[in-house]
Amino acid sequence: IHDMKALTLGVSLLVMTALSGCANMSSTEQRTLSGAAIGAGAGAAIGAISGGRAGTGALIGAGAGALGGYLYDRSQQSDHHRH
């Protein structure tokens, strides 16, 4: 539980720091970062709940979330250019 609290605090600080710089980021960078942050939080929670390591879950979730955010942005841009 101690690891989960520390990881939650770390992810929260990372998200706040990242979001403060969003004004200078492209939409692709913003969505990729948002996906990574959401994925890290979800992965940490799932890892902790399942009895695994929260840190490992956070890393896997961050990677999956970043990829999802990037792919979502590409899809949105593709749809926007077609209209």
Side-chain angles (χ1 to χ4, degrees):
I1 293 178
H2 185 267
D3 286 340
M4 182 62 181
K5 288 181 182 179
L7 185 61
T8 301
L9 178 60
V11 169
S12 297
L13 290 173
L14 175 69
V15 170
M16 286 188 288
T17 302
L19 293 178
S20 67
C22 278
N24 298 326
M25 298 173 120
S26 69
S27 67
T28 301
E29 292 168 334
Q30 289 176 9
R31 287 181 174 146
T32 301
L33 181 62
S34 295
I38 292 167
I46 291 168
I49 290 169
S50 67
R53 301 194 66 150
T56 302
L59 289 174
I60 293 168
L67 179 61
Y70 176 80
L71 293 175
Y72 176 75
D73 180 73
R74 295 284 105 194
S75 172
Q76 291 293 88
Q77 288 186 13
S78 176
D79 286 347
H80 179 69
H81 291 300
R82 281 188 234 163
H83 295 297

